[in-house]
Amino acid sequence: MHLKKEIAIVNTAASIILSFLLMLIGLASPWLFQRWMPDGSPHIYSYSALFISGSLGIGAGLFFHEYYRHLMSKLLGLDSILIKKSGIKAVATNYVVKWQAISITLAPFTDLTLIALLIMALTKSWLVTAGVITFLTINLMLSARDIITSFLIYKYADSTDAILFTQEGFQVWTAKNND
């Protein structure tokens, strides 16, 4: 196995712009999904209760995003570690193939977004909806980097290459024949 390419995903302009756009989509979710909003006015609850619900949504979004990736890696039988340096980051220490790397990377974006939308559609409480909207917004913002990472994995890795996740991004390894 030889290192083919090493990609460091930091706060690039593309991930910042995509994060901002996804944040706007998350904040616009009450307007986009008007039929799923609870009947009545949110003023039946106190502002402090709605604020606490939103704060819990932010905390849950920050907490569950990387823990869900860690869980998906473990369910696939990979050795995954949580790095708690500046924030939380889940890193699978095994080599994975291209499509497995993309699915692990996009799991929090797709799965947690669908779960949040399902909860928003099925509950009719402004307290729950306020928390879910903030959770959805945080999850979408954090998913911008995941989308960029998945695109780069798709772009730089062949189907026979192995992907190794690092703290900074990922590495693409290829098998070369030694003569």
Side-chain angles (χ1 to χ4, degrees), residues 24-72:
L24 291 178
I25 290 171
L27 291 174
S29 61
W31 179 74
L32 294 171
F33 304 108
Q34 289 178 0
R35 289 185 165 185
W36 295 350
M37 291 295 110
D39 296 330
S41 173
H43 299 294
I44 59 174
Y45 300 103
S46 68
Y47 290 123
S48 59
L50 292 172
F51 178 78
I52 290 170
S53 175
S55 299
L56 290 173
I58 291 171
L62 292 172
F63 178 80
F64 284 119
H65 189 81
E66 286 298 323
Y67 275 94
Y68 190 77
R69 183 184 336 274
H70 176 68
L71 174 67
M72 287 297 105

Side-chain angles (χ1 to χ4, degrees), residues 17 62 65 79 86 98 139:
I17 291 169
L62 292 172
H65 189 81
D79 295 330
S86 57
K98 177 181 180 176
N139 186 52

Side-chain angles (χ1 to χ4, degrees), residues 113-174:
T113 300
L114 290 174
I115 290 169
L117 290 175
L118 184 64
I119 290 171
M120 191 165 54
L122 295 177
T123 59
K124 295 297 181 187
S125 167
W126 277 106
L127 284 176
V128 174
T129 302
V132 169
I133 289 170
T134 55
F135 171 82
L136 181 65
T137 304
I138 293 297
N139 186 52
L140 289 174
M141 285 175 54
L142 294 174
S143 296
R145 183 173 176 232
D146 300 339
I147 293 169
I148 300 294
T149 302
S150 296
F151 174 74
L152 292 174
I153 290 171
Y154 179 77
K155 182 178 177 181
Y156 290 115
D158 295 329
S159 60
T160 59
D161 291 342
I163 308 296
L164 179 65
F165 290 108
T166 62
Q167 281 184 293
E168 296 80 25
F170 64 93
Q171 297 174 343
V172 179
W173 291 80
T174 187

